[in-house]
Every structure is written in C-alpha cells, then in structure tokens.
Amino acid sequence: MAKVSAKYEVMVVFSLKNGEEPMKALVTKFKERIERHAEAVEVNEDWGKRKLAYPIEDETEGYYVIYTFQSQPDYPAELSRRLNITDGVLRSLVTVVE
C-alpha cells in the first residue's frame, strides 16, 4: 500500500551576494509555498549566516534555513525542482524524516 503522506525536512543554503533583502524575500517565498502545499508545517529553523565548508559559486558564506513539513509524496520532488532552478539558492537537500 502506498504512503498517503510523510514527514520531510528541507535544508536550503541561500546566497548572500545580492544582499539581505532579496535573500529574506526568498526565505519567505519558500516558507509560504511550503505552507500552501503541505498538510502540516512543523518547524521552520532559521540558522542564519554561516561559513561554507568550501566556496560555492565563489561565495564563502551562506544563509541556512531548515523547513520541516508533512505532505503527499509528490510535492517534495516539485519543491526540489523549484529550489534547483531559483537564482539565489546555492544548495538544497530534501530528506524523509523517520
């Protein structure tokens, strides 16, 4: 039997090269997008600005945010696709929790 819904965690590293305001707008945009499509949003952790382990696109710092939510199995793939094509997102990883 297929899973009806599952709990997911998304870690996103946002770029800081365009400044604070565009980065904050992206954080809010993805938070609202997840709230619209998810059945339940459980945690939104804002880790803030951190040094990267290695340079990504010539940047040495990124802004880390973790979103934890519950949704249908097809939504995380769409979210991952959107994160990968968005300017201002350096890296993202979607994982199943549990």
Side-chain angles (χ1 to χ4, degrees):
M1 186 170 183
K3 276 188 156 181
V4 176
S5 67
K7 190 173 176 181
Y8 298 93
E9 184 175 87
V10 181
M11 175 175 257
V12 185
V13 181
F14 293 98
S15 171
L16 294 168
K17 73 177 174 187
N18 295 328
E20 290 273 328
E21 290 304 313
M23 182 271 308
K24 292 282 188 190
L26 281 175
V27 170
T28 304
K29 172 185 169 183
F30 281 105
K31 179 182 178 209
E32 291 170 354
R33 184 177 300 271
I34 290 170
E35 288 173 347
R36 256 194 328 264
H37 291 90
E39 296 169 4
V41 177
E42 297 172 13
V43 180
N44 180 23
E45 293 183 41
D46 193 343
W47 284 11
K49 185 166 58 169
R50 300 211 175 190
K51 186 169 171 46
L52 301 173
Y54 55 88
I56 302 172
E57 298 177 15
D58 297 327
E59 293 190 50
T60 58
E61 290 186 326
Y63 194 87
Y64 286 73
V65 178
I66 296 177
Y67 304 101
T68 305
F69 61 94
Q70 187 169 349
S71 76
Q72 298 294 321
D74 58 341
Y75 178 64
E78 174 64 17
L79 177 62
S80 181
R81 184 187 74 78
R82 288 190 182 264
L83 285 165
N84 288 334
I85 64 173
T86 301
D87 289 336
V89 175
L90 294 176
R91 291 285 188 272
S92 64
L93 178 65
V94 180
T95 57
V96 179
V97 180
E98 294 176 1

